[in-house]
Amino acid sequence: MVAVTINALHELKKHDKKFPVITAYDASFSRLAHNAGIDVILVGDSLGNVVQGHDSTIPVTMGNMIYHTEAVRRGSAKSFVIADLPFMAFSSEAQTLDHSALLIQAGANMVKLEGGAWLCNTVQMLSERGIPICGHLGLTPQSVHKLSGNKVQGRGEEATEKIIQDALRLEEAGVDLLVLECVPSTLGSKLTAALNIPIIGIGAGADTDAQVLVVYDMLGLSPSIPTFCKNFLEDTDNIEAALKSYAEDVRSGRFPGPEHTFS
Ligand code: KIV
């Protein structure tokens, strides 16, 4: 396999080819994802929920993220690995640079940070120093308390416009990819058309350039599976086949279906 690059992912968008992304937190799932043809892996701070058993991502530390990023990298040498900067790990430019460097040294190809246009200076600073960045808009779980819970975002004209403006400014500042979480599918479509960078949707409708799911959710291992997710293990008897079926369904546009989208 040829290593995945940012340029290759941008080319997929240009040619209207959708790609699958999956979370992984250890070497075994990273290897299984690679074997299933999924070569963009997110070491998400969702590990706070699904691995550590917390009720939010807030307790996750930089130490945790480094440990899991190293494990994921060991499982698949050539996958494109995106690692989350956890809660309050990007509060100042100097802190963000130090923490991003640690994640890249741990094996990540790119760091992800949650938030809107207020991050533009930080994004520009990282980008100028050669650190690839994934933005994250819509539902941003690190802000669960400010948002009064993990709810669909971007409903109504003002909220829609705010997310679009944030996304345009982040793109201008230098983000290379953008995760869009839990928004109406109409907003997912609009944003995908408005931006040149690939949009990775999760609960953002069928029209985004890529989809990402939390691996424990799509294997039915989480206590409750979000409505935008599908249990891909239900129709097969092994994890690799479930991951393959997810990858095929994203590439063909079969997933997400209307039952997995928000209006
Ligand atoms: O932490 C994570 O797994 C994420 C995805 C839900 C996009 O940020």
Side-chain angles (χ1 to χ4, degrees), residues 81-221:
V81 174
I82 307 169
D84 261 330
L85 282 162
F87 182 68
M88 289 300 142
F90 47 102
S91 303
S92 70
E93 287 188 24
Q95 184 204 33
T96 311
L97 181 60
D98 288 349
H99 287 164
S100 301
L102 289 172
L103 291 177
I104 301 289
Q105 286 171 336
N109 299 88
M110 174 177 273
V111 298
K112 174 163 85 60
L113 22 73
E114 296 183 4
W118 64 273
L119 282 169
C120 282
N121 288 344
T122 301
V123 165
Q124 191 179 339
M125 179 275 298
L126 291 178
S127 185
E128 281 169 355
R129 283 156 182 77
I131 295 184
I133 308 132
C134 182
H136 186 152
L137 291 173
L139 173 61
T140 46
Q142 291 171 15
S143 305
V144 57
H145 300 312
K146 185 79 175 169
L147 297 174
S148 302
N150 287 324
K151 300 172 179 171
V152 177
Q153 301 296 309
R155 280 191 169 133
E157 221 172 290
E158 201 179 318
T160 299
E161 194 50 28
K162 164 105 177 65
I163 291 180
I164 292 176
Q165 288 310 319
D166 276 342
L168 288 169
R169 289 186 57 194
L170 285 170
E171 178 178 54
E172 199 184 344
V175 297
D176 304 282
L177 299 174
L178 181 73
V179 164
L180 183 63
E181 179 166 357
C182 288
V183 298
S185 53
T186 45
L187 175 50
S189 308
K190 258 193 205 169
L191 206 63
T192 305
L195 268 65
N196 293 315
I197 57 167
I199 307 296
I200 305 171
I202 173 163
D207 292 335
T208 56
D209 305 297
Q211 298 289 330
V212 60
L213 288 177
V214 170
V215 70
Y216 285 53
D217 291 347
M218 56 82 76
L219 295 174
L221 300 174

